[in-house]
Amino acid sequence: MSIPPLYDTFLIREPLRDDPFAVTHNPSDIPTLIEVYSKSIIHFTERKRERAVERLQYELALLYSREQKWKKALRCLMSVYEGSSWRREGWWNLLGLLREQVRDVAKMCGNAEAVLRAEWEGLCN
């Protein structure tokens, strides 16, 4: 007699497959992921899927950070940070994580203005 699986994969996907962003990637996969994320951002922008674009931009910034491409990472983060639906919709926990990323990456770039903006918003909240 076999033991039934913990999850009925017909109705619910396995936890690892449920969130593909939760999987850690091999460093050699990063250039491919950057290309795929960039194309996905264009795709979702054309379809006006703002939240999907913001999430992909955030993930792209994390990949650039891993590669120590700080200026590209900061550009992605600032596009999410400045016009974020997260702020309009009151997702303060996500904004806090984003603010910390902006501050850390801006320090690595030497961008004092971005560091100051992130720190100031952190003090005001």
Side-chain angles (χ1 to χ4, degrees), residues 48-75:
K48 302 193 185 336
R49 300 290 307 268
E50 186 178 4
R51 289 184 189 160
V53 170
E54 288 174 351
R55 170 134 186 208
L56 286 168
Q57 285 177 327
Y58 181 75
E59 294 291 333
L60 184 60
L62 295 180
L63 288 174
Y64 281 135
S65 295
R66 256 192 185 168
E67 291 282 299
Q68 297 183 352
K69 296 179 180 177
W70 304 115
K71 291 188 188 277
K72 289 182 178 184
L74 185 61
R75 192 176 327 122

Side-chain angles (χ1 to χ4, degrees), residues 3 5 10 16 19 21 29 32 38 40 51-52 54 56 60 63 66 68 77 81 94 99 111 115 124-125:
I3 299 173
F10 177 74
L16 181 63
D19 186 6
F21 291 105
D29 295 339
T32 305
S38 298
S40 298
R51 289 184 189 160
E54 288 174 351
L56 286 168
L60 184 60
L63 288 174
R66 256 192 185 168
Q68 297 183 352
L77 287 171
Y81 187 67
L94 285 175
R99 184 182 55 76
N111 187 331
V115 172
C124 293
N125 288 334

